[in-house]
Amino acid sequence: MNTSGYRALTQSVSQQLATLRTDIPDVMKGFGDLARAATRDGALDKKTKELIALALGIAAHCDACIGFHVQALVKLGTTKAELEETLGMAIYMGGGPSAMYSANALAAFEEFSSAA
């Protein structure tokens, strides 16, 4: 994980994604459309979907995914208890590596929560 923290990591990745939106606009538009369709409220609400996305980011060992989804979860009013139950499921399904990335997700939650 970037030692500068999750806020710096998500800002840095956002800058690079902006370059991709310029260089490969059709791909990035398609990805954005997919993200909007997948995350809109339906049978599951947006917060539940973001919790699922966080668990998948942990399973994929993706620090940027953890940063972006935790940031969204803080904005959606996720409690620490909700986050930790999600982390528990990620650890249950992914074992030791998911425990390490769950610790990173908790750090991201604390970072974004203190700034909110």
Side-chain angles (χ1 to χ4, degrees):
M1 206 301 286
N2 181 335
T3 58
S4 300
Y6 279 91
R7 181 169 304 285
L9 176 62
T10 57
Q11 289 171 348
S12 173
V13 170
S14 290
Q15 290 171 349
Q16 297 307 314
L17 290 173
T19 299
L20 290 175
R21 280 192 295 279
T22 299
D23 293 350
I24 51 172
D26 292 342
V27 172
M28 296 309 290
K29 181 186 180 313
F31 180 75
D33 291 345
L34 177 61
R36 280 185 291 285
T39 59
R40 94 174 40 106
D41 284 335
L44 298 176
D45 65 7
K46 188 168 182 65
K47 182 173 21 174
T48 301
K49 291 179 177 187
E50 286 291 342
L51 289 167
I52 293 168
L54 174 61
L56 291 169
I58 289 167
H61 307 159
C62 175
D63 274 314
C65 300
I66 290 168
F68 283 109
H69 293 295
V70 168
Q71 184 178 42
L73 285 163
V74 167
K75 289 178 183 175
L76 290 167
T78 301
T79 66
K80 185 177 180 187
E82 290 170 322
L83 179 87
E84 288 179 332
E85 283 193 24
T86 301
L87 300 180
M89 288 303 297
I91 293 166
Y92 162 61
M93 295 302 294
S98 289
M100 302 306 115
Y101 280 84
S102 290
N104 290 351
L106 186 58
F109 183 78
E110 291 168 359
E111 181 180 340
F112 285 116
S113 293
S114 69

